[in-house]
Amino acid sequence: MTEETKNDLFYVCSLIEFIARKTLNKRGVVVDALGLSGIKKQISDAEVNHCLSFEQVSDEVIEAYHIKNGVFDTITNCEYSIPSYTDIGKLYTILVAECSEEGKEAEELEKIFKSFISDEISNFETGLYYQNPDYLKWSYKEGYLLP
């Protein structure tokens, strides 16, 4: 995977996290709204969009893909320090890079965000996002959190 592809994936993963927090949705809900073609479009547009604010791009994506507000709020009542949306975007980028076949990054991104591991990472009370990315990768591949 090229550095450019990694940068584009990082941008899109961070954008999905940003939109999910803004709309109080599970990350899979945002990915469902985008669909595979929307994910590919966001990856394609990432090189240009990274020059814009996440607020502007997220507003445009929310409107274009009709993303409604949800009730999945993992931040408001969290007692601990919350990782930034870019911290979480970086974690997802590592997972996508480690798990995807060359040229199938968008498909793997969709699978990861729609899987159980995404909800587990989003539970900021557990601190799972601080775990070794290799542990998260193998948990994702096995379909459950490894002991």
PDB file of all heavy atoms in Angstrom, residues 58-97:
ATOM      1  N   SER A  58     -17.778  17.194   6.618  1.00  0.00           N
ATOM      2  CA  SER A  58     -18.783  16.351   7.270  1.00  0.00           C
ATOM      3  C   SER A  58     -20.193  16.869   7.010  1.00  0.00           C
ATOM      4  O   SER A  58     -21.100  16.074   6.760  1.00  0.00           O
ATOM      5  CB  SER A  58     -18.521  16.239   8.772  1.00  0.00           C
ATOM      6  OG  SER A  58     -18.751  17.458   9.434  1.00  0.00           O
ATOM      7  N   ASP A  59     -20.385  18.174   7.050  1.00  0.00           N
ATOM      8  CA  ASP A  59     -21.704  18.733   6.743  1.00  0.00           C
ATOM      9  C   ASP A  59     -22.142  18.351   5.335  1.00  0.00           C
ATOM     10  O   ASP A  59     -23.306  17.988   5.107  1.00  0.00           O
ATOM     11  CB  ASP A  59     -21.706  20.257   6.891  1.00  0.00           C
ATOM     12  CG  ASP A  59     -21.706  20.730   8.330  1.00  0.00           C
ATOM     13  OD1 ASP A  59     -21.972  19.906   9.239  1.00  0.00           O
ATOM     14  OD2 ASP A  59     -21.422  21.926   8.556  1.00  0.00           O
ATOM     15  N   GLU A  60     -21.214  18.423   4.382  1.00  0.00           N
ATOM     16  CA  GLU A  60     -21.540  18.071   3.000  1.00  0.00           C
ATOM     17  C   GLU A  60     -21.875  16.590   2.865  1.00  0.00           C
ATOM     18  O   GLU A  60     -22.832  16.224   2.179  1.00  0.00           O
ATOM     19  CB  GLU A  60     -20.373  18.452   2.080  1.00  0.00           C
ATOM     20  CG  GLU A  60     -20.178  19.949   1.945  1.00  0.00           C
ATOM     21  CD  GLU A  60     -18.896  20.344   1.220  1.00  0.00           C
ATOM     22  OE1 GLU A  60     -18.152  19.435   0.757  1.00  0.00           O
ATOM     23  OE2 GLU A  60     -18.627  21.550   1.117  1.00  0.00           O
ATOM     24  N   VAL A  61     -21.105  15.737   3.548  1.00  0.00           N
ATOM     25  CA  VAL A  61     -21.351  14.294   3.473  1.00  0.00           C
ATOM     26  C   VAL A  61     -22.670  13.942   4.158  1.00  0.00           C
ATOM     27  O   VAL A  61     -23.463  13.158   3.622  1.00  0.00           O
ATOM     28  CB  VAL A  61     -20.162  13.510   4.099  1.00  0.00           C
ATOM     29  CG1 VAL A  61     -20.510  12.031   4.267  1.00  0.00           C
ATOM     30  CG2 VAL A  61     -18.904  13.679   3.256  1.00  0.00           C
ATOM     31  N   ILE A  62     -22.920  14.531   5.314  1.00  0.00           N
ATOM     32  CA  ILE A  62     -24.171  14.277   6.042  1.00  0.00           C
ATOM     33  C   ILE A  62     -25.372  14.645   5.171  1.00  0.00           C
ATOM     34  O   ILE A  62     -26.345  13.887   5.087  1.00  0.00           O
ATOM     35  CB  ILE A  62     -24.191  15.046   7.378  1.00  0.00           C
ATOM     36  CG1 ILE A  62     -23.181  14.421   8.348  1.00  0.00           C
ATOM     37  CG2 ILE A  62     -25.590  15.071   7.989  1.00  0.00           C
ATOM     38  CD1 ILE A  62     -22.859  15.287   9.560  1.00  0.00           C
ATOM     39  N   GLU A  63     -25.286  15.770   4.502  1.00  0.00           N
ATOM     40  CA  GLU A  63     -26.389  16.198   3.639  1.00  0.00           C
ATOM     41  C   GLU A  63     -26.509  15.319   2.395  1.00  0.00           C
ATOM     42  O   GLU A  63     -27.594  14.857   2.047  1.00  0.00           O
ATOM     43  CB  GLU A  63     -26.192  17.659   3.222  1.00  0.00           C
ATOM     44  CG  GLU A  63     -27.331  18.199   2.385  1.00  0.00           C
ATOM     45  CD  GLU A  63     -27.151  19.661   2.014  1.00  0.00           C
ATOM     46  OE1 GLU A  63     -26.470  20.393   2.738  1.00  0.00           O
ATOM     47  OE2 GLU A  63     -27.710  20.056   0.975  1.00  0.00           O
ATOM     48  N   ALA A  64     -25.397  15.060   1.740  1.00  0.00           N
ATOM     49  CA  ALA A  64     -25.423  14.299   0.488  1.00  0.00           C
ATOM     50  C   ALA A  64     -25.903  12.862   0.685  1.00  0.00           C
ATOM     51  O   ALA A  64     -26.587  12.312  -0.185  1.00  0.00           O
ATOM     52  CB  ALA A  64     -24.032  14.297  -0.150  1.00  0.00           C
ATOM     53  N   TYR A  65     -25.554  12.270   1.828  1.00  0.00           N
ATOM     54  CA  TYR A  65     -25.912  10.870   2.072  1.00  0.00           C
ATOM     55  C   TYR A  65     -27.073  10.714   3.055  1.00  0.00           C
ATOM     56  O   TYR A  65     -27.374   9.612   3.478  1.00  0.00           O
ATOM     57  CB  TYR A  65     -24.678  10.085   2.546  1.00  0.00           C
ATOM     58  CG  TYR A  65     -23.644   9.958   1.446  1.00  0.00           C
ATOM     59  CD1 TYR A  65     -22.628  10.902   1.313  1.00  0.00           C
ATOM     60  CD2 TYR A  65     -23.707   8.925   0.527  1.00  0.00           C
ATOM     61  CE1 TYR A  65     -21.688  10.804   0.293  1.00  0.00           C
ATOM     62  CE2 TYR A  65     -22.776   8.809  -0.487  1.00  0.00           C
ATOM     63  CZ  TYR A  65     -21.764   9.757  -0.600  1.00  0.00           C
ATOM     64  OH  TYR A  65     -20.841   9.663  -1.606  1.00  0.00           O
ATOM     65  N   HIS A  66     -27.709  11.843   3.381  1.00  0.00           N
ATOM     66  CA  HIS A  66     -28.908  11.840   4.231  1.00  0.00           C
ATOM     67  C   HIS A  66     -28.690  11.090   5.549  1.00  0.00           C
ATOM     68  O   HIS A  66     -29.506  10.245   5.932  1.00  0.00           O
ATOM     69  CB  HIS A  66     -30.112  11.258   3.484  1.00  0.00           C
ATOM     70  CG  HIS A  66     -30.300  11.848   2.123  1.00  0.00           C
ATOM     71  ND1 HIS A  66     -30.731  13.137   1.931  1.00  0.00           N
ATOM     72  CD2 HIS A  66     -30.073  11.333   0.886  1.00  0.00           C
ATOM     73  CE1 HIS A  66     -30.785  13.395   0.638  1.00  0.00           C
ATOM     74  NE2 HIS A  66     -30.382  12.316  -0.024  1.00  0.00           N
ATOM     75  N   ILE A  67     -27.610  11.413   6.229  1.00  0.00           N
ATOM     76  CA  ILE A  67     -27.293  10.758   7.495  1.00  0.00           C
ATOM     77  C   ILE A  67     -28.080  11.452   8.605  1.00  0.00           C
ATOM     78  O   ILE A  67     -27.912  12.649   8.848  1.00  0.00           O
ATOM     79  CB  ILE A  67     -25.777  10.790   7.780  1.00  0.00           C
ATOM     80  CG1 ILE A  67     -25.028  10.059   6.657  1.00  0.00           C
ATOM     81  CG2 ILE A  67     -25.469  10.168   9.141  1.00  0.00           C
ATOM     82  CD1 ILE A  67     -23.522  10.198   6.710  1.00  0.00           C
ATOM     83  N   LYS A  68     -28.946  10.695   9.224  1.00  0.00           N
ATOM     84  CA  LYS A  68     -29.800  11.221  10.298  1.00  0.00           C
ATOM     85  C   LYS A  68     -29.076  11.140  11.640  1.00  0.00           C
ATOM     86  O   LYS A  68     -28.162  10.331  11.821  1.00  0.00           O
ATOM     87  CB  LYS A  68     -31.102  10.417  10.392  1.00  0.00           C
ATOM     88  CG  LYS A  68     -31.880  10.328   9.098  1.00  0.00           C
ATOM     89  CD  LYS A  68     -32.510  11.645   8.736  1.00  0.00           C
ATOM     90  CE  LYS A  68     -33.366  11.490   7.490  1.00  0.00           C
ATOM     91  NZ  LYS A  68     -33.372  12.649   6.660  1.00  0.00           N
ATOM     92  N   ASN A  69     -29.524  11.941  12.584  1.00  0.00           N
ATOM     93  CA  ASN A  69     -28.979  11.883  13.939  1.00  0.00           C
ATOM     94  C   ASN A  69     -29.455  10.620  14.637  1.00  0.00           C
ATOM     95  O   ASN A  69     -30.586  10.186  14.461  1.00  0.00           O
ATOM     96  CB  ASN A  69     -29.380  13.109  14.755  1.00  0.00           C
ATOM     97  CG  ASN A  69     -28.616  14.342  14.344  1.00  0.00           C
ATOM     98  OD1 ASN A  69     -27.505  14.254  13.837  1.00  0.00           O
ATOM     99  ND2 ASN A  69     -29.201  15.496  14.563  1.00  0.00           N
ATOM    100  N   GLY A  70     -28.552  10.054  15.425  1.00  0.00           N
ATOM    101  CA  GLY A  70     -28.870   8.861  16.194  1.00  0.00           C
ATOM    102  C   GLY A  70     -28.804   9.147  17.680  1.00  0.00           C
ATOM    103  O   GLY A  70     -28.904  10.307  18.109  1.00  0.00           O
ATOM    104  N   VAL A  71     -28.602   8.100  18.463  1.00  0.00           N
ATOM    105  CA  VAL A  71     -28.548   8.228  19.924  1.00  0.00           C
ATOM    106  C   VAL A  71     -27.330   7.511  20.508  1.00  0.00           C
ATOM    107  O   VAL A  71     -27.262   7.275  21.699  1.00  0.00           O
ATOM    108  CB  VAL A  71     -29.832   7.677  20.585  1.00  0.00           C
ATOM    109  CG1 VAL A  71     -31.040   8.513  20.188  1.00  0.00           C
ATOM    110  CG2 VAL A  71     -30.047   6.215  20.238  1.00  0.00           C
ATOM    111  N   PHE A  72     -26.353   7.177  19.687  1.00  0.00           N
ATOM    112  CA  PHE A  72     -25.172   6.442  20.130  1.00  0.00           C
ATOM    113  C   PHE A  72     -24.115   7.438  20.607  1.00  0.00           C
ATOM    114  O   PHE A  72     -23.222   7.843  19.873  1.00  0.00           O
ATOM    115  CB  PHE A  72     -24.634   5.570  18.988  1.00  0.00           C
ATOM    116  CG  PHE A  72     -23.541   4.630  19.392  1.00  0.00           C
ATOM    117  CD1 PHE A  72     -23.799   3.549  20.218  1.00  0.00           C
ATOM    118  CD2 PHE A  72     -22.250   4.804  18.930  1.00  0.00           C
ATOM    119  CE1 PHE A  72     -22.800   2.664  20.582  1.00  0.00           C
ATOM    120  CE2 PHE A  72     -21.237   3.926  19.278  1.00  0.00           C
ATOM    121  CZ  PHE A  72     -21.518   2.858  20.108  1.00  0.00           C
ATOM    122  N   ASP A  73     -24.242   7.850  21.858  1.00  0.00           N
ATOM    123  CA  ASP A  73     -23.333   8.848  22.436  1.00  0.00           C
ATOM    124  C   ASP A  73     -22.390   8.168  23.415  1.00  0.00           C
ATOM    125  O   ASP A  73     -22.781   7.788  24.508  1.00  0.00           O
ATOM    126  CB  ASP A  73     -24.140   9.931  23.150  1.00  0.00           C
ATOM    127  CG  ASP A  73     -23.275  11.050  23.709  1.00  0.00           C
ATOM    128  OD1 ASP A  73     -22.046  11.020  23.518  1.00  0.00           O
ATOM    129  OD2 ASP A  73     -23.845  11.959  24.337  1.00  0.00           O
ATOM    130  N   THR A  74     -21.143   8.012  23.005  1.00  0.00           N
ATOM    131  CA  THR A  74     -20.152   7.376  23.872  1.00  0.00           C
ATOM    132  C   THR A  74     -19.202   8.397  24.491  1.00  0.00           C
ATOM    133  O   THR A  74     -18.223   8.020  25.111  1.00  0.00           O
ATOM    134  CB  THR A  74     -19.327   6.340  23.088  1.00  0.00           C
ATOM    135  OG1 THR A  74     -18.646   6.995  22.016  1.00  0.00           O
ATOM    136  CG2 THR A  74     -20.213   5.234  22.554  1.00  0.00           C
ATOM    137  N   ILE A  75     -19.515   9.659  24.333  1.00  0.00           N
ATOM    138  CA  ILE A  75     -18.589  10.703  24.774  1.00  0.00           C
ATOM    139  C   ILE A  75     -19.113  11.496  25.967  1.00  0.00           C
ATOM    140  O   ILE A  75     -18.398  11.711  26.939  1.00  0.00           O
ATOM    141  CB  ILE A  75     -18.266  11.656  23.602  1.00  0.00           C
ATOM    142  CG1 ILE A  75     -17.502  10.867  22.531  1.00  0.00           C
ATOM    143  CG2 ILE A  75     -17.481  12.861  24.070  1.00  0.00           C
ATOM    144  CD1 ILE A  75     -17.229  11.615  21.275  1.00  0.00           C
ATOM    145  N   THR A  76     -20.365  11.938  25.920  1.00  0.00           N
ATOM    146  CA  THR A  76     -20.908  12.862  26.917  1.00  0.00           C
ATOM    147  C   THR A  76     -20.677  12.404  28.348  1.00  0.00           C
ATOM    148  O   THR A  76     -20.206  13.172  29.176  1.00  0.00           O
ATOM    149  CB  THR A  76     -22.408  13.093  26.673  1.00  0.00           C
ATOM    150  OG1 THR A  76     -22.574  13.625  25.359  1.00  0.00           O
ATOM    151  CG2 THR A  76     -22.978  14.080  27.677  1.00  0.00           C
ATOM    152  N   ASN A  77     -20.994  11.167  28.655  1.00  0.00           N
ATOM    153  CA  ASN A  77     -20.888  10.692  30.030  1.00  0.00           C
ATOM    154  C   ASN A  77     -19.621   9.891  30.320  1.00  0.00           C
ATOM    155  O   ASN A  77     -19.511   9.265  31.374  1.00  0.00           O
ATOM    156  CB  ASN A  77     -22.115   9.850  30.383  1.00  0.00           C
ATOM    157  CG  ASN A  77     -23.379  10.683  30.367  1.00  0.00           C
ATOM    158  OD1 ASN A  77     -23.378  11.829  30.810  1.00  0.00           O
ATOM    159  ND2 ASN A  77     -24.442  10.135  29.820  1.00  0.00           N
ATOM    160  N   CYS A  78     -18.685   9.923  29.396  1.00  0.00           N
ATOM    161  CA  CYS A  78     -17.443   9.175  29.589  1.00  0.00           C
ATOM    162  C   CYS A  78     -16.610   9.842  30.690  1.00  0.00           C
ATOM    163  O   CYS A  78     -16.418  11.057  30.695  1.00  0.00           O
ATOM    164  CB  CYS A  78     -16.651   9.107  28.296  1.00  0.00           C
ATOM    165  SG  CYS A  78     -15.230   8.012  28.415  1.00  0.00           S
ATOM    166  N   GLU A  79     -16.147   9.043  31.615  1.00  0.00           N
ATOM    167  CA  GLU A  79     -15.375   9.564  32.740  1.00  0.00           C
ATOM    168  C   GLU A  79     -13.898   9.750  32.416  1.00  0.00           C
ATOM    169  O   GLU A  79     -13.155  10.327  33.197  1.00  0.00           O
ATOM    170  CB  GLU A  79     -15.508   8.603  33.930  1.00  0.00           C
ATOM    171  CG  GLU A  79     -16.925   8.484  34.445  1.00  0.00           C
ATOM    172  CD  GLU A  79     -17.010   7.490  35.596  1.00  0.00           C
ATOM    173  OE1 GLU A  79     -15.998   7.260  36.270  1.00  0.00           O
ATOM    174  OE2 GLU A  79     -18.108   6.949  35.792  1.00  0.00           O
ATOM    175  N   TYR A  80     -13.463   9.246  31.288  1.00  0.00           N
ATOM    176  CA  TYR A  80     -12.047   9.252  30.957  1.00  0.00           C
ATOM    177  C   TYR A  80     -11.757  10.155  29.771  1.00  0.00           C
ATOM    178  O   TYR A  80     -12.652  10.590  29.064  1.00  0.00           O
ATOM    179  CB  TYR A  80     -11.575   7.826  30.663  1.00  0.00           C
ATOM    180  CG  TYR A  80     -11.900   6.881  31.785  1.00  0.00           C
ATOM    181  CD1 TYR A  80     -12.907   5.945  31.652  1.00  0.00           C
ATOM    182  CD2 TYR A  80     -11.227   6.951  32.998  1.00  0.00           C
ATOM    183  CE1 TYR A  80     -13.219   5.077  32.684  1.00  0.00           C
ATOM    184  CE2 TYR A  80     -11.534   6.098  34.043  1.00  0.00           C
ATOM    185  CZ  TYR A  80     -12.523   5.169  33.885  1.00  0.00           C
ATOM    186  OH  TYR A  80     -12.838   4.324  34.909  1.00  0.00           O
ATOM    187  N   SER A  81     -10.491  10.378  29.558  1.00  0.00           N
ATOM    188  CA  SER A  81     -10.041  11.169  28.425  1.00  0.00           C
ATOM    189  C   SER A  81     -10.448  10.468  27.126  1.00  0.00           C
ATOM    190  O   SER A  81     -10.267   9.256  26.986  1.00  0.00           O
ATOM    191  CB  SER A  81      -8.520  11.316  28.499  1.00  0.00           C
ATOM    192  OG  SER A  81      -8.023  11.902  27.349  1.00  0.00           O
ATOM    193  N   ILE A  82     -10.994  11.226  26.213  1.00  0.00           N
ATOM    194  CA  ILE A  82     -11.481  10.687  24.944  1.00  0.00           C
ATOM    195  C   ILE A  82     -10.399  10.870  23.878  1.00  0.00           C
ATOM    196  O   ILE A  82      -9.876  11.972  23.714  1.00  0.00           O
ATOM    197  CB  ILE A  82     -12.756  11.431  24.488  1.00  0.00           C
ATOM    198  CG1 ILE A  82     -13.824  11.400  25.562  1.00  0.00           C
ATOM    199  CG2 ILE A  82     -13.274  10.891  23.171  1.00  0.00           C
ATOM    200  CD1 ILE A  82     -14.347  10.051  25.878  1.00  0.00           C
ATOM    201  N   PRO A  83     -10.090   9.819  23.139  1.00  0.00           N
ATOM    202  CA  PRO A  83      -9.133   9.996  22.037  1.00  0.00           C
ATOM    203  C   PRO A  83      -9.760  10.867  20.956  1.00  0.00           C
ATOM    204  O   PRO A  83     -10.974  10.872  20.775  1.00  0.00           O
ATOM    205  CB  PRO A  83      -8.898   8.574  21.537  1.00  0.00           C
ATOM    206  CG  PRO A  83     -10.109   7.818  21.947  1.00  0.00           C
ATOM    207  CD  PRO A  83     -10.604   8.456  23.212  1.00  0.00           C
ATOM    208  N   SER A  84      -8.934  11.596  20.257  1.00  0.00           N
ATOM    209  CA  SER A  84      -9.446  12.455  19.188  1.00  0.00           C
ATOM    210  C   SER A  84      -9.949  11.599  18.027  1.00  0.00           C
ATOM    211  O   SER A  84      -9.609  10.417  17.910  1.00  0.00           O
ATOM    212  CB  SER A  84      -8.347  13.399  18.693  1.00  0.00           C
ATOM    213  OG  SER A  84      -7.371  12.670  17.968  1.00  0.00           O
ATOM    214  N   TYR A  85     -10.743  12.196  17.165  1.00  0.00           N
ATOM    215  CA  TYR A  85     -11.244  11.470  16.006  1.00  0.00           C
ATOM    216  C   TYR A  85     -10.098  11.068  15.086  1.00  0.00           C
ATOM    217  O   TYR A  85     -10.160  10.037  14.426  1.00  0.00           O
ATOM    218  CB  TYR A  85     -12.339  12.250  15.257  1.00  0.00           C
ATOM    219  CG  TYR A  85     -11.906  13.601  14.742  1.00  0.00           C
ATOM    220  CD1 TYR A  85     -11.364  13.736  13.477  1.00  0.00           C
ATOM    221  CD2 TYR A  85     -12.041  14.745  15.519  1.00  0.00           C
ATOM    222  CE1 TYR A  85     -10.959  14.968  12.998  1.00  0.00           C
ATOM    223  CE2 TYR A  85     -11.646  15.978  15.043  1.00  0.00           C
ATOM    224  CZ  TYR A  85     -11.104  16.090  13.798  1.00  0.00           C
ATOM    225  OH  TYR A  85     -10.699  17.312  13.325  1.00  0.00           O
ATOM    226  N   THR A  86      -9.010  11.845  15.066  1.00  0.00           N
ATOM    227  CA  THR A  86      -7.863  11.460  14.250  1.00  0.00           C
ATOM    228  C   THR A  86      -7.076  10.314  14.899  1.00  0.00           C
ATOM    229  O   THR A  86      -6.515   9.476  14.190  1.00  0.00           O
ATOM    230  CB  THR A  86      -6.946  12.656  13.949  1.00  0.00           C
ATOM    231  OG1 THR A  86      -6.547  13.270  15.175  1.00  0.00           O
ATOM    232  CG2 THR A  86      -7.635  13.664  13.050  1.00  0.00           C
ATOM    233  N   ASP A  87      -7.048  10.269  16.237  1.00  0.00           N
ATOM    234  CA  ASP A  87      -6.421   9.118  16.907  1.00  0.00           C
ATOM    235  C   ASP A  87      -7.146   7.832  16.522  1.00  0.00           C
ATOM    236  O   ASP A  87      -6.525   6.809  16.230  1.00  0.00           O
ATOM    237  CB  ASP A  87      -6.459   9.267  18.433  1.00  0.00           C
ATOM    238  CG  ASP A  87      -5.524  10.331  18.959  1.00  0.00           C
ATOM    239  OD1 ASP A  87      -4.556  10.691  18.258  1.00  0.00           O
ATOM    240  OD2 ASP A  87      -5.768  10.811  20.091  1.00  0.00           O
ATOM    241  N   ILE A  88      -8.467   7.882  16.555  1.00  0.00           N
ATOM    242  CA  ILE A  88      -9.259   6.709  16.196  1.00  0.00           C
ATOM    243  C   ILE A  88      -9.128   6.430  14.696  1.00  0.00           C
ATOM    244  O   ILE A  88      -9.030   5.274  14.270  1.00  0.00           O
ATOM    245  CB  ILE A  88     -10.736   6.888  16.606  1.00  0.00           C
ATOM    246  CG1 ILE A  88     -10.842   7.047  18.134  1.00  0.00           C
ATOM    247  CG2 ILE A  88     -11.587   5.727  16.117  1.00  0.00           C
ATOM    248  CD1 ILE A  88     -10.367   5.840  18.932  1.00  0.00           C
ATOM    249  N   GLY A  89      -9.087   7.482  13.893  1.00  0.00           N
ATOM    250  CA  GLY A  89      -8.877   7.300  12.447  1.00  0.00           C
ATOM    251  C   GLY A  89      -7.569   6.588  12.152  1.00  0.00           C
ATOM    252  O   GLY A  89      -7.503   5.729  11.261  1.00  0.00           O
ATOM    253  N   LYS A  90      -6.540   6.911  12.900  1.00  0.00           N
ATOM    254  CA  LYS A  90      -5.241   6.260  12.723  1.00  0.00           C
ATOM    255  C   LYS A  90      -5.337   4.772  13.064  1.00  0.00           C
ATOM    256  O   LYS A  90      -4.788   3.926  12.350  1.00  0.00           O
ATOM    257  CB  LYS A  90      -4.192   6.937  13.598  1.00  0.00           C
ATOM    258  CG  LYS A  90      -2.809   6.399  13.421  1.00  0.00           C
ATOM    259  CD  LYS A  90      -1.807   7.194  14.245  1.00  0.00           C
ATOM    260  CE  LYS A  90      -0.396   6.692  14.028  1.00  0.00           C
ATOM    261  NZ  LYS A  90       0.579   7.461  14.797  1.00  0.00           N
ATOM    262  N   LEU A  91      -6.045   4.457  14.143  1.00  0.00           N
ATOM    263  CA  LEU A  91      -6.222   3.069  14.538  1.00  0.00           C
ATOM    264  C   LEU A  91      -6.954   2.275  13.451  1.00  0.00           C
ATOM    265  O   LEU A  91      -6.539   1.171  13.076  1.00  0.00           O
ATOM    266  CB  LEU A  91      -6.989   2.991  15.859  1.00  0.00           C
ATOM    267  CG  LEU A  91      -7.288   1.600  16.402  1.00  0.00           C
ATOM    268  CD1 LEU A  91      -6.011   0.820  16.655  1.00  0.00           C
ATOM    269  CD2 LEU A  91      -8.103   1.710  17.672  1.00  0.00           C
ATOM    270  N   TYR A  92      -8.028   2.840  12.925  1.00  0.00           N
ATOM    271  CA  TYR A  92      -8.760   2.166  11.847  1.00  0.00           C
ATOM    272  C   TYR A  92      -7.887   2.020  10.595  1.00  0.00           C
ATOM    273  O   TYR A  92      -7.960   1.010   9.898  1.00  0.00           O
ATOM    274  CB  TYR A  92     -10.046   2.915  11.503  1.00  0.00           C
ATOM    275  CG  TYR A  92     -11.186   2.627  12.438  1.00  0.00           C
ATOM    276  CD1 TYR A  92     -11.687   3.611  13.275  1.00  0.00           C
ATOM    277  CD2 TYR A  92     -11.769   1.371  12.485  1.00  0.00           C
ATOM    278  CE1 TYR A  92     -12.741   3.355  14.138  1.00  0.00           C
ATOM    279  CE2 TYR A  92     -12.829   1.098  13.338  1.00  0.00           C
ATOM    280  CZ  TYR A  92     -13.308   2.102  14.166  1.00  0.00           C
ATOM    281  OH  TYR A  92     -14.362   1.833  15.015  1.00  0.00           O
ATOM    282  N   THR A  93      -7.069   3.008  10.308  1.00  0.00           N
ATOM    283  CA  THR A  93      -6.179   2.935   9.149  1.00  0.00           C
ATOM    284  C   THR A  93      -5.221   1.757   9.277  1.00  0.00           C
ATOM    285  O   THR A  93      -4.984   1.031   8.314  1.00  0.00           O
ATOM    286  CB  THR A  93      -5.387   4.248   8.990  1.00  0.00           C
ATOM    287  OG1 THR A  93      -6.306   5.335   8.873  1.00  0.00           O
ATOM    288  CG2 THR A  93      -4.487   4.215   7.762  1.00  0.00           C
ATOM    289  N   ILE A  94      -4.684   1.572  10.473  1.00  0.00           N
ATOM    290  CA  ILE A  94      -3.788   0.435  10.719  1.00  0.00           C
ATOM    291  C   ILE A  94      -4.535  -0.873  10.489  1.00  0.00           C
ATOM    292  O   ILE A  94      -4.016  -1.782   9.825  1.00  0.00           O
ATOM    293  CB  ILE A  94      -3.204   0.503  12.148  1.00  0.00           C
ATOM    294  CG1 ILE A  94      -2.257   1.693  12.283  1.00  0.00           C
ATOM    295  CG2 ILE A  94      -2.495  -0.802  12.511  1.00  0.00           C
ATOM    296  CD1 ILE A  94      -1.868   2.023  13.714  1.00  0.00           C
ATOM    297  N   LEU A  95      -5.759  -0.973  11.027  1.00  0.00           N
ATOM    298  CA  LEU A  95      -6.550  -2.187  10.844  1.00  0.00           C
ATOM    299  C   LEU A  95      -6.830  -2.457   9.371  1.00  0.00           C
ATOM    300  O   LEU A  95      -6.686  -3.587   8.893  1.00  0.00           O
ATOM    301  CB  LEU A  95      -7.861  -2.104  11.615  1.00  0.00           C
ATOM    302  CG  LEU A  95      -7.788  -2.284  13.123  1.00  0.00           C
ATOM    303  CD1 LEU A  95      -9.132  -1.973  13.767  1.00  0.00           C
ATOM    304  CD2 LEU A  95      -7.343  -3.693  13.470  1.00  0.00           C
ATOM    305  N   VAL A  96      -7.220  -1.442   8.633  1.00  0.00           N
ATOM    306  CA  VAL A  96      -7.516  -1.610   7.209  1.00  0.00           C
ATOM    307  C   VAL A  96      -6.249  -2.024   6.461  1.00  0.00           C
ATOM    308  O   VAL A  96      -6.272  -2.962   5.657  1.00  0.00           O
ATOM    309  CB  VAL A  96      -8.117  -0.317   6.595  1.00  0.00           C
ATOM    310  CG1 VAL A  96      -8.226  -0.431   5.080  1.00  0.00           C
ATOM    311  CG2 VAL A  96      -9.480  -0.014   7.201  1.00  0.00           C
ATOM    312  N   ALA A  97      -5.142  -1.355   6.736  1.00  0.00           N
ATOM    313  CA  ALA A  97      -3.890  -1.675   6.055  1.00  0.00           C
ATOM    314  C   ALA A  97      -3.443  -3.104   6.350  1.00  0.00           C
ATOM    315  O   ALA A  97      -2.956  -3.812   5.459  1.00  0.00           O
ATOM    316  CB  ALA A  97      -2.804  -0.680   6.463  1.00  0.00           C
TER     317      ALA A  97
END
